């Protein structure tokens, strides 16, 4: 079956550091890929998405590029802030319209220190 | 509001009791999903509804779990004869295109 693998953390960085959270996937066909974020005490929020190979999703300074050759969708941000502290989930969906259950990674807890 | 809403936000029950969890999707979204988030298992897909069609129940962990969706909108997830391992946050999401939008969840604690 489909699966998503991501570093679990916690990942601790200083403010303004460069961030990379690795995500790789195993799936048949051409899934859509997503990053969701869960801030402390809040629900899951869609951060960004990419629906086909070489697409780049971006939002709030975060970026991720759909790399089919390496089956990866790594999340990056050039300069993190304390407010970025959260748990980040990589996920995939087989149906292009999001019309199936998402397969999630286990989440990466990110801690940004001032 | 414009988002997915869930009720109750918290539920404490005794082992063996039945519980019902409710989800109101975003207006106009035809697809609705239930997930479970627990420390040991992470985020697990439970069940999916598309409009008024029969649901995809492939992710339900046991026959104690069931769900229905009335009129293609509100959904109820029912857990019968709850067990302690059912303790988790139950998340609902709705979708009309490429992404799913999540509600705040119901935190269930089975004593």
């Amino acid at each position: 079956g489909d699966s998503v693998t991501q570093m679990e953390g916690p990942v601790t960085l200083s403010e303004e550091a460069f961030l990379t959270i690795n995500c790789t996937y195993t799936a048949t066909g051409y899934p859509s890929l997503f990053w969701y974020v869960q801030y402390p005490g809040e629900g899951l929020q869609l951060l960004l998405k990419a629906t086909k190979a070489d697409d780049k999703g971006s939002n709030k300074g975060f970026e991720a590029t759909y790399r089919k050759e390496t089956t990866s969708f790594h999340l990056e941000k050039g300069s993190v802030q304390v407010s970025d502290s959260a748990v980040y989930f990589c996920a995939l969906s087989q149906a292009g319209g999001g019309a199936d259950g998402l397969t999630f990674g286990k989440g990466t807890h990110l801690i940004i220190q001032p | 509001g414009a988002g997915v809403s869930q009720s109750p936000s918290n539920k404490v029950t005794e082992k063996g009791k039945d519980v019902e969890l409710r989800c109101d999707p975003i207006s106009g979204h035809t697809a609705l999903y239930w997930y479970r988030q627990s420390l040991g298992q992470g985020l697990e897909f439970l069940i999916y509804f598309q409009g008024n069609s029969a649901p995809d129940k492939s992710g339900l962990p046991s026959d104690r779990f069931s769900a229905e969706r009335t009129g293609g909108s509100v959904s109820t997830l029912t857990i019968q004869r709850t067990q302690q391992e059912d303790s988790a946050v139950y998340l609902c999401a709705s979708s009309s295109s490429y992404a799913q939008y999540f509600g705040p969840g119901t935190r269930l604690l089975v004593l």
Side-chain angles (χ1 to χ4, degrees), chain A residues 34 36 38 96-98 100 102, chain B residues 33 35 37 45 48 97-100:
Chain A
F34 306 86
Y36 281 83
Q38 191 169 34
D100 65 352
L102 288 163
Chain B
Y33 313 78
Y35 294 84
Q37 185 175 24
F45 164 69
Y48 155 64
S97 59
Y98 282 96
Q100 296 176 24

Side-chain angles (χ1 to χ4, degrees), chain A:
Chain A
D2 297 344
S3 66
V4 176
T5 302
Q6 60 179 114
M7 49 204 298
E8 291 188 28
V11 173
T12 304
L13 295 173
S14 298
E15 206 166 19
E16 299 184 2
F18 184 86
L19 168 71
T20 300
I21 301 178
N22 290 336
C23 171
T24 57
Y25 68 90
T26 301
T28 57
Y30 300 91
S32 297
L33 301 174
F34 306 86
W35 278 100
Y36 281 83
V37 58
Q38 191 169 34
Y39 297 103
E42 298 186 17
L44 275 170
Q45 300 176 26
L46 176 65
L47 181 59
L48 53 84
K49 66 182 187 292
T51 57
K52 60 182 187 296
D54 300 326
D55 267 3
K56 177 184 285 187
S58 61
N59 186 25
K60 299 182 180 180
F62 290 90
E63 292 183 340
T65 301
Y66 188 167
R67 301 288 188 197
K68 186 157 181 64
E69 64 276 14
T70 54
T71 61
S72 64
F73 193 54
H74 304 322
L75 183 68
E76 296 182 335
K77 186 174 185 182
S79 177
V80 293
Q81 305 300 312
V82 172
S83 57
D84 294 327
S85 298
V87 181
Y88 292 80
F89 294 90
C90 185
L92 70 80
S93 168
Q94 275 292 2
D100 65 352
L102 288 163
T103 299
F104 284 93
K106 292 191 178 296
T108 300
H109 186 193
L110 176 65
I111 301 169
I112 307 300
Q113 296 178 333

